């Protein structure tokens, strides 16, 4: 049974989890490097640079150079973590990551803060709503987003252990603690928060908190919910999705374009199974704007109320 956090009032951005975990990993493994792109303060790598200067490189505002340098480090047996914003890490250097990291299957990690709509007031130019979808389509790439501080630390540590390219997405905004620090996570395997029989909700990243709250609201009305944290978009845990197919009514929730993200990945499995129905809640294939984070979620229907409404619609 999943152990949830007792102190749900405490919040921390998942970029903080990366910043804390990468220092511990670097101290224990001298092959771990951080490749910064001049935004270490925002991406929480300044402590790593200070404590482990010989394992840190700052290439300046040059994302494509960072990808090439990281590939070179990986080719010599190092484990480089490129640290930047999600919109840059997924788009500006996509060609270099595809050709120089994924094609030769090198051990390059892309660790990106400001995922999804969380860089809200920075506007649509800085909101990465297509990043996980872009990397989901490239062979050899693993795509991961933790839901809170504790799960993200565990997933970052695992990313350092597995071989091959990994895209890690973090939030700019503080998120409530969902999991107890004793909980374990496995890249490629969904975390079942609870089992249920009436409807299945599959969420990832910063939307897991909303899915959990919606689950509690539905249970007050006697609706049994199976809730999954699908922290790994690729490789997707198909077995977990097929268990939801047996329920037949599935809702996906994500802070990402509903095209080619979690909802699309789940729908592909459901379509191949030949049964079941999926409702996708996420960014409605539109760019964001400069507004508070919660307002942007609301404008896209990524809310507790909309999750509850979709569940009831499926059941009716």
């Amino acid at each position: 049974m999943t152990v949830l956090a007792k102190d749900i009032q405490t919040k921390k951005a998942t970029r903080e989890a990366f910043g804390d975990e990468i220092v511990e990993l670097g101290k224990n493994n001298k092959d771990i490097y951080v490749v910064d792109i001049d935004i270490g303060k925002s991406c929480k790598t300044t402590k790593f640079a200070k404590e482990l200067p010989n394992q840190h490189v700052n290439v300046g505002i040059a994302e494509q150079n960072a990808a090439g340098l990281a590939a070179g480090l990986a080719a010599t047996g190092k484990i480089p973590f490129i640290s930047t914003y999600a919109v840059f890490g997924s788009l500006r250097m996509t060609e270099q990551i595809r050709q120089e990291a994924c094609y030769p299957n090198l051990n390059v990690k892309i660790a990106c803060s400001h995922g999804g709509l969380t860089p809200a007031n920075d506007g649509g130019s800085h909101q990465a709503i297509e990043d996980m979808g872009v990397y989901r389509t490239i062979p050899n790439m693993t795509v991961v987003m933790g839901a809170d501080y504790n799960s993200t630390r565990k997933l970052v540590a695992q990313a350092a252990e597995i071989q091959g390219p990994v895209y890690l997405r973090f939030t700019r905004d503080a998120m409530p603690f969902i999991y107890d620090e004793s909980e374990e996570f496995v890249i490629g395997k969904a975390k079942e928060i609870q089992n249920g029989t009436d409807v299945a909700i599959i969420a990832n990243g910063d939307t897991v908190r909303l899915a959990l709250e919606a689950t509690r609201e539905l249970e007050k009305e006697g609706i049994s919910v199976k809730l999954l944290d699908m922290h790994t978009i690729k490789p997707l845990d198909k077995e977990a999705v097929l268990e939801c197919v047996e329920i037949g009514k599935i809702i996906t929730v994500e802070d990402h374009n509903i095209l080619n993200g979690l909802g699309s990945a789940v729908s592909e499995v459901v379509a191949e199974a030949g049964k079941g129905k999926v409702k996708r809640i996420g960014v409605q294939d539109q760019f964001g704007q400069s507004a508070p984070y919660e307002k942007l979620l609301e404008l896209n229907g990524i809310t507790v109320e909309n999750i509850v409404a979709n569940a009831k619609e499926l059941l009716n």
Side-chain angles (χ1 to χ4, degrees):
M1 181 178 178
T2 300
V3 180
L4 300 180
K6 296 180 178 65
D7 181 13
I8 60 173
Q9 301 304 316
T10 301
K11 294 183 178 182
K12 273 191 177 182
T14 58
R15 60 175 169 161
E16 300 273 4
F18 170 66
D20 292 341
E21 186 62 28
I22 198 67
V23 171
E24 296 305 311
L25 293 173
K27 287 178 178 177
N28 292 323
N29 185 348
K30 297 304 179 184
D31 285 335
I32 287 179
Y33 278 63
V34 165
V35 181
D36 260 329
I37 306 171
D38 221 26
I39 45 176
K41 184 177 180 180
S42 291
C43 294
K44 304 304 176 184
T45 54
T46 53
K47 184 178 179 182
F48 187 99
K50 182 178 180 180
E51 297 192 17
L52 300 164
N54 293 331
Q55 294 164 247
H56 178 263
V57 183
N58 186 352
V59 301
I61 305 172
E63 290 84 0
Q64 294 163 336
N65 288 348
L69 188 148
L73 286 169
T76 65
K78 307 302 181 185
I79 308 171
F81 282 74
I82 303 171
S83 178
T84 185
Y85 293 160
V87 72
F88 301 143
S90 64
L91 297 177
R92 185 169 291 173
M93 62 185 191
T94 303
E95 179 187 357
Q96 286 71 29
I97 291 297
R98 180 188 187 273
Q99 298 299 106
E100 298 170 21
C102 293
Y103 187 58
N105 201 18
L106 291 176
N107 204 18
V108 175
K109 319 301 177 184
I110 307 103
C112 290
S113 179
H114 292 52
L117 297 171
T118 65
N121 291 326
D122 291 342
S125 63
H126 278 56
Q127 294 158 13
I129 59 168
E130 60 282 280
D131 52 332
M132 293 192 288
V134 168
Y135 277 133
R136 190 170 80 88
T137 63
I138 301 179
N140 294 328
M141 179 63 82
T142 295
V143 181
V144 178
M145 185 180 189
D148 73 346
Y149 178 89
N150 286 331
S151 61
T152 298
R153 286 198 67 159
K154 298 287 180 71
L155 291 165
V156 169
Q158 276 212 13
E161 293 294 325
I162 67 174
Q163 180 67 36
V166 180
Y167 179 68
L168 293 153
R169 190 205 219 202
F170 313 123
T171 65
R172 170 186 164 178
D173 283 42
M175 295 295 147
F177 280 69
I178 295 173
Y179 301 104
D180 185 82
E181 62 182 6
S182 65
E183 278 297 297
E184 295 299 327
F185 296 81
V186 178
I187 287 178
K189 186 170 178 58
K191 168 66 74 172
E192 183 179 89
I193 296 175
Q194 70 172 50
N195 203 354
T197 56
D198 293 331
V199 64
I201 301 177
I202 306 174
N204 83 318
D206 48 314
T207 67
V208 173
R209 64 188 175 94
L210 302 175
L212 181 57
E213 189 175 338
T215 296
R216 289 168 175 161
E217 291 298 318
L218 289 165
E219 289 190 325
K220 290 177 183 177
E221 300 187 36
I223 298 170
S224 176
V225 180
K226 181 182 182 73
L227 178 58
L228 298 182
D229 173 357
M230 193 66 75
H231 48 74
T232 307
I233 303 299
K234 182 186 180 185
L236 190 74
D237 187 345
K238 292 183 179 180
E239 290 184 5
V241 176
L242 289 173
E243 288 178 6
C244 296
V245 169
E246 294 306 311
I247 295 173
K249 301 170 180 65
I250 303 168
I251 298 169
T252 61
V253 193
E254 59 192 313
D255 180 2
H256 186 277
N257 196 330
I258 57 171
L259 302 179
N260 205 26
L262 172 65
S264 291
V266 169
S267 295
E268 289 161 13
V269 176
V270 174
E272 289 179 353
K275 59 181 180 179
K277 188 171 183 178
V278 179
K279 290 278 190 177
R280 293 175 298 160
I281 295 175
V283 178
Q284 298 298 301
D285 194 25
Q286 61 187 354
F287 287 109
Q289 53 189 292
S290 183
Y293 166 61
E294 296 291 343
K295 180 64 176 178
L296 291 173
L297 293 178
E298 181 185 334
L299 289 171
N300 286 278
I302 310 171
T303 64
V304 172
E305 294 76 15
N306 196 34
I307 298 170
V308 170
N310 273 270
K312 290 180 178 179
E313 183 181 338
L314 281 173
L315 290 168
N316 290 333

